[in-house]
Amino acid sequence: MKSLLVGNGAREHAIAEQMAKNSELYAFMSAKNPGIAKLSKEFQIGDIKDPKEVLKYALHVQPDYVFVGPEDPLAKGVADMLLENGIQVVGPTKVAARLESDKSFARTLMQEYVPDGIPKFVVCSTERDVSEALKEFDTDIVVKPAGLTGGKGVKIQGKHLKNLFEVQEYANEIIEKRIGGSNVVVLEERLEGEEFTLQVFTDGEHIIPMPLVQDHKQAFEGDEGPMTGGMGSYSDANHLLPFMDEKDVEDALSIIKRTLRGLKEKTGLIYKGVLYGQFMLTKDGPKVIEYNVRFGDPEAMNVLPLLKTDFSAICMSILEGNLQMAEFENKATVCKYLVPKGYPDKSKIPEPTKIPVDEEAVKSVGAKLYYASVDAREDGIYTSTSRTLGIVGIADSIEEAEKIAEAGVQKVKTDALFYRRDIGTRELIQKRIEHMRKLRGN
Ligand code: GLY
């Protein structure tokens, strides 16, 4: 079997590892990811957001299936272009990808189909809308550009925005500067609780959940600092999270199922691929923060190494509409991202710097290494303007997995990068458990 992967981050490196197990892997990347390059029979560098370029390479490869890693190519219609030309693709079409690329579309759909699973929200596209909307809230507010911003466009009152004046100012800035590619901004009630990620495989009819993961979006330890694409994440051996129970997962899964049914009813579209629900577990149960139409990054690095079922077989069953099984090992995982100093503020990130990456040394402590946004040059690996390396520990408990990830991080000896030491530690997890206990009053 031949497969083609589109994308070149650490998430895609983790996907590539699975695809290469039982298929001949080809890759279309915007920059050379040395990990993916090594796993591929052949790769090509090009613009992954240009459907025509992706199609040209896919026609050359003639794969049995294409897997698209990141959201941007999906939002630009890469899946549509491939399907129109008879190439099977695991990943949603442009309209279905609006679940992620257009938060106004997503919220409006959810309002109809999962009113119990969302926070209060108002969609605005003028300054006047914003001043009217502000009167509707009696909680702190979250300000979200409706379009894609790589997770970095969201600002939260009480965290990044001091008061209502700053909320209004930022909402107006999104409208004026078209942050995220449009003049639409979504204002939402700030929910209190613990965030979690539930990713599912779906063929449009059948839905199979993956182990739950908790990501850490803020740049600095103790959940301080600006929002990032995600600084690291953990999952538990029982596939739940230490602050959640089975009922919470069932509720979250029901929200995902109803959303997919709504999408089908509203648009006639059958969603085939991976859907990622980012939830807040509140005292009243799970609420959707947002949907992503792909694997999470870093969350893919938590779940994919545990996959027992062949990934290509899962993809083929998604395409055939008979998805039945995806089994994962009962192991805990911790992923820590090493990122360039200054990240996520591009203006503060120094020039690309050569970093020593000793894959064998990371492996020697039992950790896994996934390349993210790096520039692999003749003379070595250089940093870029986004996250650099994902280091993953896998063990029977979160605590052990954290120690392995930490040991792996210590093998990357450079001060050009930083990471969050606290991710997956007993202290941080205990804080999460106590937070949820307090909220639920038990
Ligand atoms: N972990 C955040 C994301 O994948 O968008």
Side-chain angles (χ1 to χ4, degrees):
M1 190 191 299
K2 274 190 193 175
S3 61
L4 169 59
L5 173 67
V6 178
N8 48 271
R11 165 184 49 208
E12 286 73 32
H13 187 178
I15 297 169
E17 192 173 63
Q18 297 302 317
M19 290 172 79
K21 278 187 179 159
N22 279 312
S23 75
E24 196 170 73
L25 178 69
Y26 293 75
F28 191 76
M29 307 189 262
S30 56
K32 182 177 165 186
N33 176 313
I36 300 176
K38 207 155 134 191
L39 290 162
S40 308
K41 177 165 167 60
E42 183 190 291
F43 66 87
Q44 181 152 320
I45 306 298
D47 182 358
I48 62 171
K49 291 188 225 163
D50 181 343
K52 285 198 187 123
E53 277 198 40
V54 179
L55 174 66
K56 195 167 162 211
Y57 188 60
L59 287 172
H60 156 73
V61 173
Q62 291 291 334
D64 292 280
Y65 74 94
V66 178
F67 195 95
V68 182
E71 63 276 20
D72 285 322
L74 294 165
K76 298 271 183 205
V78 161
D80 306 62
M81 177 69 88
L82 293 170
L83 289 169
E84 280 155 23
N85 287 275
I87 292 174
Q88 301 254 58
V89 53
V90 181
T93 53
K94 192 172 171 174
V95 173
R98 285 178 74 200
L99 271 182
E100 173 167 1
S101 63
D102 182 351
K103 290 185 179 63
S104 152
F105 168 81
R107 278 295 185 225
T108 309
L109 184 82
M110 285 185 264
Q111 189 167 39
E112 191 169 341
Y113 288 88
V114 283
D116 53 321
I118 55 170
K120 178 174 181 171
F121 73 95
V122 182
V123 178
C124 307
S125 53
T126 65
E127 292 193 6
R128 194 189 161 90
D129 292 346
V130 173
S131 32
E132 285 302 310
L134 293 182
K135 297 179 197 152
E136 307 255 332
F137 293 92
D138 53 12
T139 59
D140 280 351
I141 296 172
V142 181
V143 187
K144 297 178 171 179
L148 297 177
T149 56
K152 295 165 207 129
V154 176
K155 290 198 181 172
I156 302 170
Q157 185 183 355
K159 265 192 176 177
H160 315 103
L161 305 166
K162 281 201 228 62
N163 47 38
L164 268 188
F165 174 73
E166 289 193 6
V167 167
Q168 185 163 17
E169 215 175 37
Y170 182 53
N172 289 341
E173 187 187 341
I174 291 172
I175 292 171
E176 195 191 320
K177 296 190 182 154
R178 300 176 68 84
I179 296 174
S182 84
N183 65 335
V184 184
V185 58
V186 183
L187 303 184
E188 293 184 0
E189 165 196 3
R190 180 179 173 185
L191 296 170
E192 179 157 21
E194 281 298 326
E195 283 188 30
F196 68 93
T197 300
L198 174 57
Q199 303 168 99
V200 302
F201 290 111
T202 179
D203 59 8
E205 182 70 27
H206 311 98
I207 295 173
I208 300 195
M210 305 186 211
L212 296 174
V213 185
Q214 187 174 47
D215 185 17
H216 299 71
K217 302 284 286 181
Q218 289 187 260
F220 309 134
E221 281 163 25
D223 298 321
E224 299 289 339
M227 298 295 261
T228 69
M231 292 295 291
S233 45
Y234 68 88
S235 68
D236 207 351
N238 62 1
H239 298 170
L240 298 174
L241 288 166
F243 52 85
M244 289 181 69
D245 60 32
E246 291 280 2
K247 164 86 170 64
D248 298 323
V249 191
E250 276 165 30
D251 291 346
L253 206 50
S254 152
I255 291 173
I256 288 183
K257 284 181 182 161
R258 284 181 282 146
T259 307
L260 285 172
R261 181 164 54 77
L263 184 73
K264 196 164 152 190
E265 279 177 19
K266 281 277 156 201
T267 64
L269 289 169
I270 300 191
Y271 187 106
K272 284 180 183 287
V274 170
L275 183 65
Y276 162 133
Q278 190 193 350
F279 288 89
M280 180 73 85
L281 182 61
T282 69
K283 67 177 174 34
D284 305 316
K287 311 280 172 202
V288 179
I289 298 177
E290 64 182 35
Y291 281 120
N292 295 320
V293 295
R294 48 165 175 87
F295 277 111
D297 189 353
E299 290 94 329
M301 288 181 274
N302 297 94
V303 297
L304 285 172
L306 304 183
L307 192 57
K308 291 200 282 186
T309 315
D310 175 46
F311 185 79
S312 293
I314 294 173
C315 289
M316 293 315 287
S317 65
I318 287 175
L319 294 172
E320 286 155 12
N322 63 0
L323 175 68
Q324 267 154 26
M325 198 173 68
E327 284 186 336
F328 295 84
E329 275 182 81
N330 283 103
K331 292 274 185 194
T333 66
V334 171
C335 173
K336 302 203 183 205
Y337 246 128
L338 285 151
V339 304
K341 287 252 163 80
Y343 175 80
D345 184 343
K346 284 200 165 86
S347 67
K348 291 194 185 138
I349 297 176
E351 290 296 297
T353 311
K354 189 171 162 184
I355 48 165
V357 185
D358 184 343
E359 291 182 21
E360 288 309 313
V362 174
K363 225 197 242 168
S364 73
V365 294
K368 293 179 78 77
L369 180 152
Y370 294 104
Y371 288 98
S373 186
V374 294
D375 184 9
R377 301 185 192 169
E378 296 266 301
D379 66 334
I381 307 284
Y382 284 74
T383 56
S384 166
T385 54
S386 195
R387 296 172 290 181
T388 312
L389 300 171
I391 308 283
V392 179
I394 302 175
D396 289 329
S397 68
I398 299 174
E399 211 173 329
E400 285 170 78
E402 192 277 332
K403 289 200 171 76
I404 296 171
E406 185 65 32
V409 167
Q410 295 309 322
K411 296 291 176 191
V412 185
K413 299 194 185 308
T414 171
D415 30 327
L417 305 174
F418 76 97
Y419 74 105
R420 276 184 61 167
R421 192 178 289 270
D422 61 348
I423 292 171
T425 56
R426 183 200 278 262
E427 296 72 28
L428 197 61
I429 287 173
Q430 201 50 40
K431 226 168 96 183
R432 309 285 193 230
I433 295 171
E434 273 154 28
H435 181 209
M436 217 49 239
R437 263 196 206 132
K438 199 167 145 212
L439 274 182
R440 287 180 146 165
N442 55 26

